[in-house]
Amino acid sequence: MTAITNHLPTAELQALDAAHHMHPFTANGELAEKGARVITRASGVTLTDSEGHEILDAMAGLWCVNIGYGRDELADVAARQMRELPYYNTFFQTTHAPAIALAAKIAELAPEGLNHVFFAGSGSEANDTNIRMVRHYWALKDKPSKSIIISRKNAYHGSSVGSGSLGGMSAMHEQGGMPIPDIHHINQPNWWAEAGDMSPEDFGLARAQELEQAILELGEDRVAAFIAEPVQGAGGVIVPPTTYWPEIQRICDKYEILLIADEVICGFGRTGNWFGSQTMGIRPDIMTIAKGLSSGYAPIGGSIVSDEVAAVIGSGEFNHGYTYSGHPVASAVALENLRILEEENIVGHVRDVAAPYLKEKWEALTDHPLVGEAKIVGMMGSIALTPNKAARAAFASDAGTVGYICRERCFANNLVMRHVGDRMIISPPLVITPDEIDTLIERARKSLDECYEILKEKDMLQSA
Ligand SMILES: *Cc1c(COP(=O)(O)O)cnc(C)c1O
């Protein structure tokens, strides 16, 4: 058999892919007929595919390539670490410099009082850790009945059985026996789709108060923690009204339930601060991290844990861990990524340059006939497509039909912009320049125009 490399014709790679490779979150039968797009290389904010297209990646891969593609420093660090110590575990009273250095660096960057890191291989694994850690925490404090974790509908916390149960994606819960017991979901703060006549402020407050109602209904003695993304990502970049998070914090404080901020997307600069919790003004007990931690160059995740929780958990043995917890190569790569983020002031670039520039252009998209609201925090944004802005109407077609058409136009115009239902979302590399933002917006507008023409032609501009 000849080696399978980028030198093979695209059709051949696609056929082999279809024959052997099961894609995540994909109807593989359908994809086999169409053929997957083969990505061959990437640099900065630009992907190249096997047909030579140069595509602006406005999703930073899966929200993760914060420093952009093609940074040789990370490759060099990985090679060096692999030669020196490719692997050793941290289970049996051993440790190594990469894990030590990364944990210390994360503690330095994290908000006050969050000084301990439990490493995992991904965000899903980290949230599985969190489920066990918060329940074990309460058991150690002689309150073993406090085992319910409250989360939100349309949240995304990962795809393992535990983290997928925490998440509030109904399409995921329909498959494979989820959610596990003692996970409770309240409504999300999605003003555009769910607020009816309420103002954003009243709606934000009402949705936050669902947490208090849930605690009272379930019983304070049953609730261990509340978990949420500072800004929902995979759910469609749902930016909560300003009233939402202060009320959530008040309720967590009042009933002494642990607050877990899932920072897998928001962490490491995406919202214009190191962590989304800082942007939203909250004080979590645990933060989930992954994605931007290594800019996706190596798989690594973890939980940043408060002094108080770490002290309780550390009072005995926590029967939990992963073979790759604190993997030396992934840790070294993540540490180098954090060095670049810090020394090149990339968080400052987001806050002072890229985010203000993108915000202005992004919000101006509401002048397009298809775009209802445009929301953006730092470098994560969404637009709601609608046939009737004033009514905040959904399309008559199944949710996602129009979004998919728009996404296909984006791909045709060399732009990766995802759709969640009929919301279009972006989360570009943090290093994106104003010129590249202009290109992003130009391609987005062209795609929206083409989508609009298709909808007109097919008579699909009907409200549900
Ligand atoms: C992606 C994501 C996860 C899961 O991370 P994986 O590394 O894919 O397991 C968890 N939480 C949030 C908010 C995410 O966006």
Side-chain angles (χ1 to χ4, degrees):
M1 195 165 148
T2 53
I4 297 171
T5 70
N6 284 330
H7 299 291
L8 291 183
T10 302
E12 215 167 307
L13 288 169
Q14 288 172 329
L16 285 161
D17 185 71
H20 304 295
H21 178 198
M22 297 173 76
H23 290 245
F25 285 103
T26 298
N28 278 284
E30 226 174 281
L31 179 64
E33 277 166 33
K34 190 178 171 198
R37 188 182 284 254
V38 181
I39 305 300
T40 52
R41 56 184 61 251
S43 174
V45 300
T46 307
L47 308 167
T48 305
D49 74 9
S50 56
E51 301 292 284
H53 297 114
E54 302 217 319
I55 307 160
L56 197 161
D57 183 8
M59 283 306 299
L62 278 179
W63 325 78
C64 55
V65 189
N66 288 10
I67 61 167
Y69 297 94
R71 294 296 301 247
D72 286 338
E73 299 93 324
L74 274 66
D76 294 342
V77 160
R80 207 181 311 138
Q81 185 60 47
M82 232 182 246
R83 290 200 170 89
E84 190 175 303
L85 180 70
Y87 178 76
Y88 200 69
N89 75 76
T90 52
F91 281 29
F92 306 117
Q93 308 193 355
T94 55
T95 190
H96 46 68
I100 299 167
L102 182 60
K105 186 73 210 176
I106 290 169
E108 181 195 318
L109 295 172
E112 208 190 320
L114 292 163
N115 290 305
H116 310 267
V117 187
F118 194 105
F119 286 114
S122 67
S124 300
E125 285 180 10
N127 276 326
D128 279 16
T129 297
N130 294 338
I131 293 172
R132 299 196 58 210
M133 191 181 296
V134 298
R135 289 176 174 172
H136 185 50
Y137 168 85
W138 287 115
L140 286 168
K141 290 183 64 116
D142 278 333
K143 294 182 178 172
S145 65
K146 281 171 82 71
S147 65
I148 296 177
I149 301 171
I150 300 176
S151 178
R152 306 182 295 181
K153 294 175 187 166
N154 199 36
Y156 189 79
H157 296 299
S159 193
S160 60
V161 174
S163 64
S165 296
L166 285 179
M169 300 283 178
S170 51
M172 291 175 69
H173 290 177
E174 281 160 17
Q175 301 174 345
M178 297 198 289
I180 58 171
D182 280 2
I183 310 286
H184 182 86
H185 296 90
I186 59 174
N187 283 306
Q188 61 175 336
N190 182 343
W191 178 80
W192 172 264
E194 299 178 3
D197 294 335
M198 288 176 100
S199 71
E201 291 72 25
D202 289 348
F203 177 73
L205 214 53
R207 284 290 155 103
Q209 284 163 357
E210 284 193 20
L211 176 60
E212 188 157 29
Q213 288 153 21
I215 294 168
L216 294 174
E217 275 163 33
L218 296 162
E220 211 181 321
D221 60 329
R222 290 283 285 119
V223 180
F226 175 67
I227 182 168
E229 304 150 86
V231 178
Q232 283 158 270
V237 185
I238 309 299
V239 181
T242 52
T243 48
Y244 182 77
W245 272 115
E247 184 67 0
I248 292 282
Q249 183 70 60
R250 179 190 72 75
I251 295 164
C252 289
D253 291 345
K254 178 172 176 192
Y255 296 97
E256 289 184 37
I257 68 168
L258 297 172
L259 174 58
I260 308 169
D262 186 336
E263 294 269 3
V264 170
I265 288 173
C266 293
F268 304 104
R270 180 143 308 274
T271 68
N273 287 296
W274 276 95
F275 295 95
S277 294
Q278 295 159 329
T279 304
M280 294 294 145
I282 52 174
R283 289 172 281 100
D285 300 285
I286 296 175
M287 300 200 299
T288 320
I289 52 172
K291 295 195 171 122
L293 168 59
S294 66
S295 284
Y297 282 60
I300 184 167
S303 307
I304 315 181
V305 180
S306 73
D307 298 339
E308 146 76 6
V309 173
V312 172
I313 294 294
S315 65
E317 182 170 341
F318 184 33
N319 300 319
H320 177 75
Y322 305 107
T323 300
Y324 300 133
S325 287
H327 190 284
V329 178
S331 295
V333 168
L335 189 64
E336 182 67 4
N337 172 62
L338 297 184
R339 185 193 66 74
I340 287 174
L341 277 172
E342 194 169 33
E343 283 183 15
E344 298 182 6
N345 189 25
I346 291 172
V347 184
H349 168 76
V350 169
R351 188 182 51 237
D352 303 330
V353 181
Y357 192 77
L358 178 60
K359 181 177 162 72
E360 190 193 322
K361 307 267 161 178
W362 189 253
E363 289 178 343
L365 288 175
T366 51
D367 69 12
H368 193 279
L370 268 185
V371 178
E373 70 166 2
K375 301 299 280 183
I376 187 157
V377 174
M379 303 303 281
M380 55 194 298
S382 59
I383 48 179
L385 306 184
T386 177
N388 180 342
K389 299 187 195 204
R392 304 209 305 273
F395 291 95
S397 51
D398 290 345
T401 311
V402 171
Y404 182 78
I405 292 170
C406 185
R407 193 198 72 170
E408 291 297 280
R409 296 325 307 152
C410 292
F411 248 132
N413 290 314
N414 291 329
L415 173 67
V416 176
M417 176 155 76
R418 237 171 93 180
H419 78 105
V420 176
D422 297 324
R423 276 183 102 84
M424 305 306 299
I425 60 175
I426 57 164
S427 168
L430 306 186
V431 294
I432 193 169
T433 64
D435 278 354
E436 289 164 338
I437 290 172
D438 288 342
T439 305
L440 187 166
I441 296 291
E442 219 171 86
R443 291 180 188 176
R445 279 193 179 275
K446 182 159 186 280
S447 306
L448 286 166
D449 288 345
E450 291 173 6
C451 179
Y452 190 56
E453 288 308 313
I454 292 170
L455 297 183
K456 266 201 294 201
E457 246 166 62
K458 295 192 170 173
D459 198 23
M460 287 175 68
L461 286 166
Q462 314 294 334
S463 299

